[in-house]
């Protein structure tokens, strides 16, 4: 699971617990200027992930780490797809972040309010 917060002009995604080990990341910091938006998307867990490099993938259990699909790099950290939030990025290492959070609706609202329009 991840915790998402706004810190000044940055969106901070903190990876919690053992997911740090599986995703090979503990924290992602993205300038809000590079965040295009966020959506709660429980169906995303069933979509193809692409090539894992590096990370962990055990179907139905955990998807964590960096995946390459259609020429894009996507960061995944989910166990329960029902709590998945997709954060769209521009001009960043990752095209998207797909993370599991405790409250998807509140996380999407936080991001959407913080993103400059």
């Amino acid at each position: 699971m991840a915790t998402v917060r706004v810190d000044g002009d940055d969106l901070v995604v903190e990876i919690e617990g053992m997911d740090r080990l599986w995703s090979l990341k503990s924290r992602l910091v993205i300038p809000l200027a590079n965040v295009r938006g966020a959506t709660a998307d429980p169906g995303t867990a069933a979509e193809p992930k692409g090539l894992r490099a590096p990370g962990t993938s055990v179907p139905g259990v955990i998807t964590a780490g960096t995946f390459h699909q259609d020429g894009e790099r996507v960061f995944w950290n989910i166990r329960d797809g029902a709590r998945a939030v997709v954060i769209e990025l521009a001009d960043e290492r990752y095209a998207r972040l797909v993370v599991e959070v405790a409250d998807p609706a509140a996380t999407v609202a936080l991001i959407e309010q913080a993103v400059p329009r």
Side-chain angles (χ1 to χ4, degrees):
M1 188 172 305
T3 301
V4 178
R5 63 184 168 81
V6 174
D7 184 10
D9 291 334
D10 294 324
L11 182 72
V12 179
V13 178
E14 298 272 355
I15 309 303
E16 299 174 347
M18 290 297 292
D19 288 355
R20 292 177 180 199
L21 174 66
W22 308 129
S23 67
L24 303 174
K25 295 260 185 239
S26 60
R27 183 176 197 214
L28 296 160
V29 179
I30 310 292
L32 285 170
N34 295 350
V35 177
R36 294 182 13 214
T39 56
D41 188 354
T44 196
E47 295 176 4
K49 312 302 186 278
L51 298 174
R52 175 177 42 95
T56 304
S57 181
V58 178
V61 178
I62 187 169
T63 302
T66 301
F67 289 74
H68 300 268
Q69 183 178 25
D70 300 327
E72 294 181 329
R73 187 178 291 149
V74 180
F75 178 80
W76 287 80
N77 185 41
I78 61 169
R79 290 175 184 263
D80 179 0
R83 298 191 295 179
V85 170
V86 179
I87 304 168
E88 297 287 338
L89 306 175
D91 302 322
E92 283 293 323
R93 176 175 188 210
Y94 296 105
R96 283 180 307 287
L97 309 177
V98 182
V99 294
E100 177 186 339
V101 296
D103 186 343
T107 301
V108 168
L110 171 77
I111 294 168
E112 289 296 318
Q113 289 173 357
V115 172
R117 299 283 175 199

